[in-house]
Amino acid sequence: MRQPASRPLMTRVFSVFLSAAISLILCSCSMIKSIIPHSMPKLPKIGLPSLPSRNTVARLVPGMSEKDKASAEDPDISFTSRGTLGYGHTIRLEVYEGTRSPDRIFRGIEMINTEGNLALGSVGTAHVGGMRLPQAAEAIATVFRLAGRNTREITVQIISVENVEVVSLNGDVQEPEFIPVFKNMSVKQAVTVTGGRKTGSTSRGVYISRQGQRHFFTSLESANHKWKPVAGDIITLSPDI
């Protein structure tokens, strides 16, 4: 009859199998480490695109200067929107013909000369020295009408003077005027600055012109809700509607 294996022999056999299993596990771990990199590569941070500033846009538009400078000799002159124009004041403006499908017939940055005249290209010159902006805008429009542009309405949009960006208000207001653009300006705030409608007025309609095109709103509240003024806009309070 065969005798069973002794306990020491069984212990040695078990130890051999255990050592082999551990070696196999360690080899597997080494292979995995060799395949998987020590650290995952970091993904680049992707930011949202930023909108260009006004000066950046100016550089991108052909022929448009960053500042209200007609030439290198153009002096820096202080200016307030309710003041009068004089020598050295430089105006950035656009002139449009028509209101439904307007055509831009002039665009420029022009300086008032020593005689108080503002050059308007081949059309001629407008004498604006000593005038406030509302009167100057009308004088400029008159020059274009006399030059034969009298079949459709002429809109003069003054965007800035000496880098002071402005918005025009006229029509059923206490007094036509230009006011500086300020942060988060609303249509209602712009009208309030001018003193609102004329005393006793019952009209409510509002027209706003941008790039020569006129937009109508049934009330100041409607315009205030739907429109954000920018430099060059003309806000006209209707005297009839």
Side-chain angles (χ1 to χ4, degrees):
M1 184 174 180
R2 189 176 179 179
Q3 296 293 327
S6 64
R7 184 174 297 275
L9 178 60
M10 293 179 65
T11 301
R12 286 196 298 272
V13 173
F14 177 76
S15 298
V16 171
F17 279 109
L18 180 61
S19 299
I22 293 173
S23 299
L24 181 61
I25 292 173
L26 292 176
C27 289
S28 299
C29 292
S30 299
M31 291 179 64
I32 293 172
K33 288 183 178 180
S34 66
I35 296 173
I36 299 177
H38 293 288
S39 61
M40 295 296 291
K42 294 182 178 180
L43 295 175
K45 294 182 179 180
I46 302 175
L48 293 175
S50 57
L51 294 176
S53 65
R54 178 178 179 273
N55 287 344
T56 301
V57 173
R59 288 193 294 269
L60 295 176
V61 178
M64 187 175 182
S65 173
E66 293 182 25
K67 296 183 179 181
D68 293 342
K69 288 288 184 182
S71 67
E73 293 74 31
D74 188 343
D76 292 325
I77 306 293
S78 61
F79 173 77
T80 59
S81 61
R82 290 177 174 173
T84 56
L85 296 167
Y87 166 72
H89 282 145
T90 303
I91 302 175
R92 183 188 298 261
L93 75 159
E94 295 179 348
V95 181
Y96 292 86
E97 185 179 37
T99 55
R100 288 191 175 182
S101 299
D103 295 320
R104 189 176 68 195
I105 55 178
F106 182 80
R107 180 188 190 219
I109 301 174
E110 304 294 340
M111 187 190 80
I112 300 173
N113 64 19
T114 54
E115 298 177 349
N117 294 328
L118 186 74
L120 299 171
S122 60
V123 178
T125 60
H127 185 77
V128 297
M131 294 182 178
R132 295 176 61 242
L133 282 177
Q135 292 74 41
E138 180 54 36
I140 293 168
T142 298
V143 171
F144 281 89
R145 294 189 194 101
L146 293 176
R149 300 283 187 171
N150 51 17
T151 58
R152 296 196 294 169
E153 185 173 347
I154 298 295
T155 302
V156 177
Q157 304 213 208
I158 295 177
I159 299 168
S160 59
V161 181
E162 292 293 316
N163 300 306
V164 178
E165 296 183 331
V166 292
V167 166
S168 171
L169 292 104
N170 57 36
D172 191 30
V173 293
Q174 298 293 334
E175 183 180 3
E177 64 174 303
F178 284 71
I179 63 172
V181 175
F182 52 86
K183 187 176 181 180
N184 297 324
M185 171 189 280
S186 68
V187 175
K188 188 174 183 179
Q189 288 173 331
V191 173
T192 300
V193 169
T194 65
R197 288 186 180 272
K198 292 179 180 178
T199 304
S201 174
T202 58
S203 299
R204 292 174 54 82
V206 180
Y207 294 95
I208 301 180
S209 297
R210 178 176 295 177
Q211 295 180 340
Q213 190 166 14
R214 180 178 291 180
H215 307 265
F216 175 72
F217 302 91
T218 56
S219 67
L220 180 59
E221 290 72 21
S222 176
N224 194 63
H225 177 69
K226 299 177 181 178
W227 196 270
K228 181 71 174 178
V230 299
D233 280 0
I234 301 174
I235 302 173
T236 303
L237 302 186
S238 172
D240 307 313
I241 303 175

